[in-house]
PDB file of all heavy atoms in Angstrom:
ATOM      1  N   GLN A1394       0.830  -1.202   0.000  1.00 98.00           N
ATOM      2  CA  GLN A1394       0.000   0.000   0.000  1.00 98.00           C
ATOM      3  C   GLN A1394       0.866   1.254   0.000  1.00 98.00           C
ATOM      4  O   GLN A1394       0.615   2.210  -0.746  1.00 98.00           O
ATOM      5  CB  GLN A1394      -0.908   0.016   1.227  1.00 98.00           C
ATOM      6  CG  GLN A1394      -1.735   1.298   1.365  1.00 98.00           C
ATOM      7  CD  GLN A1394      -2.417   1.417   2.727  1.00 98.00           C
ATOM      8  OE1 GLN A1394      -2.447   0.461   3.504  1.00 98.00           O
ATOM      9  NE2 GLN A1394      -2.968   2.587   3.017  1.00 98.00           N
ATOM     10  N   SER A1395       1.903   1.240   0.828  1.00 98.00           N
ATOM     11  CA  SER A1395       2.781   2.390   0.943  1.00 98.00           C
ATOM     12  C   SER A1395       3.487   2.681  -0.386  1.00 98.00           C
ATOM     13  O   SER A1395       3.578   3.840  -0.821  1.00 98.00           O
ATOM     14  CB  SER A1395       3.809   2.159   2.045  1.00 98.00           C
ATOM     15  OG  SER A1395       4.632   3.286   2.231  1.00 98.00           O
ATOM     16  N   VAL A1396       3.977   1.638  -1.046  1.00 98.00           N
ATOM     17  CA  VAL A1396       4.645   1.825  -2.339  1.00 98.00           C
ATOM     18  C   VAL A1396       3.666   2.377  -3.372  1.00 98.00           C
ATOM     19  O   VAL A1396       3.957   3.365  -4.063  1.00 98.00           O
ATOM     20  CB  VAL A1396       5.257   0.502  -2.840  1.00 98.00           C
ATOM     21  CG1 VAL A1396       5.721   0.643  -4.292  1.00 98.00           C
ATOM     22  CG2 VAL A1396       6.423   0.089  -1.955  1.00 98.00           C
ATOM     23  N   GLU A1397       2.527   1.747  -3.484  1.00 98.00           N
ATOM     24  CA  GLU A1397       1.554   2.138  -4.506  1.00 98.00           C
ATOM     25  C   GLU A1397       1.140   3.602  -4.366  1.00 98.00           C
ATOM     26  O   GLU A1397       1.152   4.365  -5.342  1.00 98.00           O
ATOM     27  CB  GLU A1397       0.316   1.234  -4.414  1.00 98.00           C
ATOM     28  CG  GLU A1397      -0.743   1.550  -5.454  1.00 98.00           C
ATOM     29  CD  GLU A1397      -1.964   0.639  -5.346  1.00 98.00           C
ATOM     30  OE1 GLU A1397      -1.886  -0.385  -4.649  1.00 98.00           O
ATOM     31  OE2 GLU A1397      -2.997   0.972  -5.969  1.00 98.00           O
ATOM     32  N   GLU A1398       0.810   4.018  -3.136  1.00 98.00           N
ATOM     33  CA  GLU A1398       0.328   5.372  -2.925  1.00 98.00           C
ATOM     34  C   GLU A1398       1.453   6.407  -2.995  1.00 98.00           C
ATOM     35  O   GLU A1398       1.250   7.526  -3.469  1.00 98.00           O
ATOM     36  CB  GLU A1398      -0.392   5.468  -1.581  1.00 98.00           C
ATOM     37  CG  GLU A1398      -1.637   4.599  -1.477  1.00 98.00           C
ATOM     38  CD  GLU A1398      -2.683   4.959  -2.527  1.00 98.00           C
ATOM     39  OE1 GLU A1398      -2.842   6.156  -2.822  1.00 98.00           O
ATOM     40  OE2 GLU A1398      -3.338   4.038  -3.050  1.00 98.00           O
ATOM     41  N   THR A1399       2.636   6.032  -2.533  1.00 98.00           N
ATOM     42  CA  THR A1399       3.766   6.969  -2.591  1.00 98.00           C
ATOM     43  C   THR A1399       4.195   7.212  -4.026  1.00 98.00           C
ATOM     44  O   THR A1399       4.509   8.350  -4.414  1.00 98.00           O
ATOM     45  CB  THR A1399       4.954   6.433  -1.763  1.00 98.00           C
ATOM     46  OG1 THR A1399       4.523   6.162  -0.428  1.00 98.00           O
ATOM     47  CG2 THR A1399       6.082   7.462  -1.699  1.00 98.00           C
ATOM     48  N   VAL A1400       4.203   6.150  -4.839  1.00 98.00           N
ATOM     49  CA  VAL A1400       4.564   6.292  -6.256  1.00 98.00           C
ATOM     50  C   VAL A1400       3.536   7.151  -6.989  1.00 98.00           C
ATOM     51  O   VAL A1400       3.887   7.925  -7.888  1.00 98.00           O
ATOM     52  CB  VAL A1400       4.714   4.907  -6.910  1.00 98.00           C
ATOM     53  CG1 VAL A1400       4.855   5.030  -8.433  1.00 98.00           C
ATOM     54  CG2 VAL A1400       5.923   4.181  -6.336  1.00 98.00           C
ATOM     55  N   LYS A1401       2.279   7.056  -6.601  1.00 98.00           N
ATOM     56  CA  LYS A1401       1.243   7.892  -7.214  1.00 98.00           C
ATOM     57  C   LYS A1401       1.513   9.376  -6.981  1.00 98.00           C
ATOM     58  O   LYS A1401       1.269  10.206  -7.855  1.00 98.00           O
ATOM     59  CB  LYS A1401      -0.130   7.529  -6.645  1.00 98.00           C
ATOM     60  CG  LYS A1401      -0.746   6.274  -7.222  1.00 98.00           C
ATOM     61  CD  LYS A1401      -2.131   6.047  -6.624  1.00 98.00           C
ATOM     62  CE  LYS A1401      -2.756   4.766  -7.154  1.00 98.00           C
ATOM     63  NZ  LYS A1401      -4.090   4.516  -6.530  1.00 98.00           N
ATOM     64  N   ILE A1402       2.014   9.706  -5.798  1.00 98.00           N
ATOM     65  CA  ILE A1402       2.334  11.107  -5.501  1.00 98.00           C
ATOM     66  C   ILE A1402       3.459  11.572  -6.405  1.00 98.00           C
ATOM     67  O   ILE A1402       3.431  12.683  -6.932  1.00 98.00           O
ATOM     68  CB  ILE A1402       2.721  11.267  -4.017  1.00 98.00           C
ATOM     69  CG1 ILE A1402       1.527  10.904  -3.124  1.00 98.00           C
ATOM     70  CG2 ILE A1402       3.191  12.703  -3.720  1.00 98.00           C
ATOM     71  CD1 ILE A1402       1.881  10.808  -1.644  1.00 98.00           C
ATOM     72  N   GLY A1403       4.458  10.712  -6.589  1.00 97.00           N
ATOM     73  CA  GLY A1403       5.540  10.992  -7.513  1.00 97.00           C
ATOM     74  C   GLY A1403       6.735  11.664  -6.873  1.00 97.00           C
ATOM     75  O   GLY A1403       6.660  12.828  -6.478  1.00 97.00           O
ATOM     76  N   PHE A1404       7.838  10.937  -6.756  1.00 97.00           N
ATOM     77  CA  PHE A1404       9.060  11.468  -6.161  1.00 97.00           C
ATOM     78  C   PHE A1404      10.254  11.163  -7.050  1.00 97.00           C
ATOM     79  O   PHE A1404      10.158  10.404  -8.019  1.00 97.00           O
ATOM     80  CB  PHE A1404       9.255  10.882  -4.758  1.00 97.00           C
ATOM     81  CG  PHE A1404       8.255  11.370  -3.760  1.00 97.00           C
ATOM     82  CD1 PHE A1404       7.100  10.632  -3.487  1.00 97.00           C
ATOM     83  CD2 PHE A1404       8.430  12.568  -3.099  1.00 97.00           C
ATOM     84  CE1 PHE A1404       6.163  11.084  -2.575  1.00 97.00           C
ATOM     85  CE2 PHE A1404       7.503  13.037  -2.184  1.00 97.00           C
ATOM     86  CZ  PHE A1404       6.360  12.300  -1.916  1.00 97.00           C
ATOM     87  N   ASP A1405      11.383  11.749  -6.702  1.00 97.00           N
ATOM     88  CA  ASP A1405      12.612  11.562  -7.477  1.00 97.00           C
ATOM     89  C   ASP A1405      13.392  10.329  -7.052  1.00 97.00           C
ATOM     90  O   ASP A1405      14.387   9.963  -7.679  1.00 97.00           O
ATOM     91  CB  ASP A1405      13.515  12.796  -7.324  1.00 97.00           C
ATOM     92  CG  ASP A1405      12.824  14.057  -7.799  1.00 97.00           C
ATOM     93  OD1 ASP A1405      12.391  14.089  -8.967  1.00 97.00           O
ATOM     94  OD2 ASP A1405      12.703  15.014  -7.003  1.00 97.00           O
ATOM     95  N   GLY A1406      12.974   9.710  -5.970  1.00 98.00           N
ATOM     96  CA  GLY A1406      13.596   8.509  -5.457  1.00 98.00           C
ATOM     97  C   GLY A1406      12.744   7.976  -4.318  1.00 98.00           C
ATOM     98  O   GLY A1406      11.856   8.674  -3.803  1.00 98.00           O
ATOM     99  N   TYR A1407      13.004   6.732  -3.914  1.00 98.00           N
ATOM    100  CA  TYR A1407      12.179   6.104  -2.884  1.00 98.00           C
ATOM    101  C   TYR A1407      13.059   5.468  -1.820  1.00 98.00           C
ATOM    102  O   TYR A1407      13.967   4.683  -2.126  1.00 98.00           O
ATOM    103  CB  TYR A1407      11.242   5.075  -3.525  1.00 98.00           C
ATOM    104  CG  TYR A1407      10.265   5.762  -4.452  1.00 98.00           C
ATOM    105  CD1 TYR A1407      10.562   5.901  -5.808  1.00 98.00           C
ATOM    106  CD2 TYR A1407       9.106   6.340  -3.965  1.00 98.00           C
ATOM    107  CE1 TYR A1407       9.698   6.581  -6.663  1.00 98.00           C
ATOM    108  CE2 TYR A1407       8.232   7.015  -4.803  1.00 98.00           C
ATOM    109  CZ  TYR A1407       8.532   7.140  -6.149  1.00 98.00           C
ATOM    110  OH  TYR A1407       7.684   7.835  -6.973  1.00 98.00           O
ATOM    111  N   ALA A1408      12.794   5.842  -0.575  1.00 98.00           N
ATOM    112  CA  ALA A1408      13.564   5.348   0.556  1.00 98.00           C
ATOM    113  C   ALA A1408      12.759   4.306   1.314  1.00 98.00           C
ATOM    114  O   ALA A1408      11.529   4.407   1.419  1.00 98.00           O
ATOM    115  CB  ALA A1408      13.933   6.498   1.489  1.00 98.00           C
ATOM    116  N   ILE A1409      13.464   3.322   1.840  1.00 98.00           N
ATOM    117  CA  ILE A1409      12.847   2.280   2.660  1.00 98.00           C
ATOM    118  C   ILE A1409      13.087   2.638   4.110  1.00 98.00           C
ATOM    119  O   ILE A1409      14.221   2.600   4.597  1.00 98.00           O
ATOM    120  CB  ILE A1409      13.447   0.904   2.333  1.00 98.00           C
ATOM    121  CG1 ILE A1409      13.227   0.568   0.864  1.00 98.00           C
ATOM    122  CG2 ILE A1409      12.843  -0.178   3.229  1.00 98.00           C
ATOM    123  CD1 ILE A1409      14.021  -0.633   0.379  1.00 98.00           C
ATOM    124  N   GLY A1410      12.028   3.028   4.795  1.00 95.00           N
ATOM    125  CA  GLY A1410      12.111   3.353   6.207  1.00 95.00           C
ATOM    126  C   GLY A1410      11.530   2.245   7.053  1.00 95.00           C
ATOM    127  O   GLY A1410      10.923   1.293   6.546  1.00 95.00           O
ATOM    128  N   GLY A1411      11.712   2.342   8.355  1.00 93.00           N
ATOM    129  CA  GLY A1411      11.084   1.394   9.265  1.00 93.00           C
ATOM    130  C   GLY A1411      11.706   0.016   9.289  1.00 93.00           C
ATOM    131  O   GLY A1411      11.101  -0.925   9.808  1.00 93.00           O
ATOM    132  N   LEU A1412      12.919  -0.134   8.740  1.00 94.00           N
ATOM    133  CA  LEU A1412      13.686  -1.368   8.880  1.00 94.00           C
ATOM    134  C   LEU A1412      15.009  -1.021   9.546  1.00 94.00           C
ATOM    135  O   LEU A1412      15.365   0.144   9.688  1.00 94.00           O
ATOM    136  CB  LEU A1412      13.927  -2.032   7.524  1.00 94.00           C
ATOM    137  CG  LEU A1412      12.691  -2.586   6.802  1.00 94.00           C
ATOM    138  CD1 LEU A1412      13.070  -3.188   5.460  1.00 94.00           C
ATOM    139  CD2 LEU A1412      11.968  -3.622   7.661  1.00 94.00           C
ATOM    140  N   SER A1413      15.741  -2.052   9.979  1.00 90.00           N
ATOM    141  CA  SER A1413      16.945  -1.855  10.805  1.00 90.00           C
ATOM    142  C   SER A1413      16.586  -1.122  12.093  1.00 90.00           C
ATOM    143  O   SER A1413      17.329  -0.264  12.582  1.00 90.00           O
ATOM    144  CB  SER A1413      18.023  -1.073  10.037  1.00 90.00           C
ATOM    145  OG  SER A1413      18.579  -1.869   9.024  1.00 90.00           O
ATOM    146  N   VAL A1414      15.409  -1.449  12.631  1.00 90.00           N
ATOM    147  CA  VAL A1414      14.966  -0.835  13.886  1.00 90.00           C
ATOM    148  C   VAL A1414      14.721  -1.902  14.955  1.00 90.00           C
ATOM    149  O   VAL A1414      13.983  -1.661  15.919  1.00 90.00           O
ATOM    150  CB  VAL A1414      13.686   0.016  13.675  1.00 90.00           C
ATOM    151  CG1 VAL A1414      13.999   1.232  12.826  1.00 90.00           C
ATOM    152  CG2 VAL A1414      12.565  -0.819  13.046  1.00 90.00           C
ATOM    153  N   GLY A1415      15.338  -3.080  14.770  1.00 90.00           N
ATOM    154  CA  GLY A1415      15.216  -4.131  15.772  1.00 90.00           C
ATOM    155  C   GLY A1415      14.645  -5.435  15.269  1.00 90.00           C
ATOM    156  O   GLY A1415      14.675  -6.446  15.981  1.00 90.00           O
ATOM    157  N   GLU A1416      14.134  -5.451  14.036  1.00 94.00           N
ATOM    158  CA  GLU A1416      13.577  -6.684  13.490  1.00 94.00           C
ATOM    159  C   GLU A1416      14.700  -7.661  13.148  1.00 94.00           C
ATOM    160  O   GLU A1416      15.866  -7.263  12.993  1.00 94.00           O
ATOM    161  CB  GLU A1416      12.736  -6.391  12.236  1.00 94.00           C
ATOM    162  CG  GLU A1416      13.521  -6.125  10.961  1.00 94.00           C
ATOM    163  CD  GLU A1416      14.177  -4.758  10.905  1.00 94.00           C
ATOM    164  OE1 GLU A1416      13.859  -3.917  11.771  1.00 94.00           O
ATOM    165  OE2 GLU A1416      15.006  -4.526   9.994  1.00 94.00           O
ATOM    166  N   GLY A1417      14.371  -8.922  13.011  1.00 94.00           N
ATOM    167  CA  GLY A1417      15.370  -9.921  12.657  1.00 94.00           C
ATOM    168  C   GLY A1417      15.704  -9.863  11.177  1.00 94.00           C
ATOM    169  O   GLY A1417      14.951  -9.303  10.366  1.00 94.00           O
ATOM    170  N   LYS A1418      16.819 -10.461  10.809  1.00 95.00           N
ATOM    171  CA  LYS A1418      17.227 -10.449   9.404  1.00 95.00           C
ATOM    172  C   LYS A1418      16.229 -11.170   8.496  1.00 95.00           C
ATOM    173  O   LYS A1418      15.997 -10.727   7.367  1.00 95.00           O
ATOM    174  CB  LYS A1418      18.625 -11.039   9.254  1.00 95.00           C
ATOM    175  CG  LYS A1418      19.718 -10.125   9.792  1.00 95.00           C
ATOM    176  CD  LYS A1418      21.099 -10.602   9.397  1.00 95.00           C
ATOM    177  CE  LYS A1418      22.162  -9.618   9.921  1.00 95.00           C
ATOM    178  NZ  LYS A1418      23.533  -9.985   9.482  1.00 95.00           N
ATOM    179  N   PRO A1419      15.623 -12.297   8.925  1.00 96.00           N
ATOM    180  CA  PRO A1419      14.631 -12.942   8.045  1.00 96.00           C
ATOM    181  C   PRO A1419      13.466 -12.013   7.700  1.00 96.00           C
ATOM    182  O   PRO A1419      13.048 -11.944   6.540  1.00 96.00           O
ATOM    183  CB  PRO A1419      14.164 -14.148   8.870  1.00 96.00           C
ATOM    184  CG  PRO A1419      15.316 -14.459   9.771  1.00 96.00           C
ATOM    185  CD  PRO A1419      15.898 -13.129  10.129  1.00 96.00           C
ATOM    186  N   GLU A1420      12.957 -11.278   8.701  1.00 97.00           N
ATOM    187  CA  GLU A1420      11.853 -10.338   8.448  1.00 97.00           C
ATOM    188  C   GLU A1420      12.304  -9.204   7.527  1.00 97.00           C
ATOM    189  O   GLU A1420      11.596  -8.792   6.615  1.00 97.00           O
ATOM    190  CB  GLU A1420      11.328  -9.763   9.764  1.00 97.00           C
ATOM    191  CG  GLU A1420      10.642 -10.766  10.671  1.00 97.00           C
ATOM    192  CD  GLU A1420      11.603 -11.495  11.599  1.00 97.00           C
ATOM    193  OE1 GLU A1420      12.826 -11.324  11.447  1.00 97.00           O
ATOM    194  OE2 GLU A1420      11.125 -12.223  12.480  1.00 97.00           O
ATOM    195  N   ARG A1421      13.506  -8.688   7.789  1.00 97.00           N
ATOM    196  CA  ARG A1421      14.029  -7.589   6.976  1.00 97.00           C
ATOM    197  C   ARG A1421      14.212  -8.033   5.525  1.00 97.00           C
ATOM    198  O   ARG A1421      13.806  -7.339   4.593  1.00 97.00           O
ATOM    199  CB  ARG A1421      15.362  -7.131   7.547  1.00 97.00           C
ATOM    200  CG  ARG A1421      15.980  -5.924   6.843  1.00 97.00           C
ATOM    201  CD  ARG A1421      17.342  -5.629   7.419  1.00 97.00           C
ATOM    202  NE  ARG A1421      17.323  -5.705   8.877  1.00 97.00           N
ATOM    203  CZ  ARG A1421      18.379  -5.956   9.634  1.00 97.00           C
ATOM    204  NH1 ARG A1421      19.557  -6.167   9.075  1.00 97.00           N
ATOM    205  NH2 ARG A1421      18.278  -6.007  10.949  1.00 97.00           N
ATOM    206  N   ASN A1422      14.810  -9.204   5.340  1.00 97.00           N
ATOM    207  CA  ASN A1422      15.054  -9.680   3.976  1.00 97.00           C
ATOM    208  C   ASN A1422      13.764  -9.999   3.237  1.00 97.00           C
ATOM    209  O   ASN A1422      13.682  -9.841   2.013  1.00 97.00           O
ATOM    210  CB  ASN A1422      15.963 -10.906   4.008  1.00 97.00           C
ATOM    211  CG  ASN A1422      17.381 -10.568   4.452  1.00 97.00           C
ATOM    212  OD1 ASN A1422      17.791  -9.413   4.418  1.00 97.00           O
ATOM    213  ND2 ASN A1422      18.124 -11.585   4.875  1.00 97.00           N
ATOM    214  N   GLU A1423      12.751 -10.447   3.981  1.00 98.00           N
ATOM    215  CA  GLU A1423      11.446 -10.685   3.354  1.00 98.00           C
ATOM    216  C   GLU A1423      10.882  -9.389   2.788  1.00 98.00           C
ATOM    217  O   GLU A1423      10.335  -9.354   1.677  1.00 98.00           O
ATOM    218  CB  GLU A1423      10.466 -11.280   4.378  1.00 98.00           C
ATOM    219  CG  GLU A1423       9.083 -11.558   3.804  1.00 98.00           C
ATOM    220  CD  GLU A1423       8.084 -12.025   4.846  1.00 98.00           C
ATOM    221  OE1 GLU A1423       8.479 -12.229   6.019  1.00 98.00           O
ATOM    222  OE2 GLU A1423       6.900 -12.174   4.492  1.00 98.00           O
ATOM    223  N   MET A1424      11.028  -8.302   3.542  1.00 98.00           N
ATOM    224  CA  MET A1424      10.536  -7.008   3.072  1.00 98.00           C
ATOM    225  C   MET A1424      11.345  -6.507   1.882  1.00 98.00           C
ATOM    226  O   MET A1424      10.798  -5.967   0.917  1.00 98.00           O
ATOM    227  CB  MET A1424      10.583  -5.982   4.204  1.00 98.00           C
ATOM    228  CG  MET A1424       9.606  -6.234   5.349  1.00 98.00           C
ATOM    229  SD  MET A1424       7.869  -6.281   4.838  1.00 98.00           S
ATOM    230  CE  MET A1424       7.584  -8.069   4.783  1.00 98.00           C
TER     231      MET A1424
END
């Protein structure tokens, strides 16, 4: 949902936030 709606707004690049905040590597890599 976040990707779809953010791309609709239109930016010059896209950052992945909310990872490397304590989750395990399997969860992070899945994302």
Side-chain angles (χ1 to χ4, degrees):
Q1394 175 192 349
S1395 183
V1396 170
E1397 181 180 346
E1398 297 300 322
T1399 305
V1400 170
K1401 282 182 182 178
I1402 297 170
F1404 291 95
D1405 301 303
Y1407 295 93
I1409 300 168
L1412 293 179
S1413 289
V1414 292
E1416 77 285 349
K1418 288 191 178 184
E1420 293 87 353
R1421 184 184 316 155
N1422 291 342
E1423 180 185 355
M1424 292 301 101

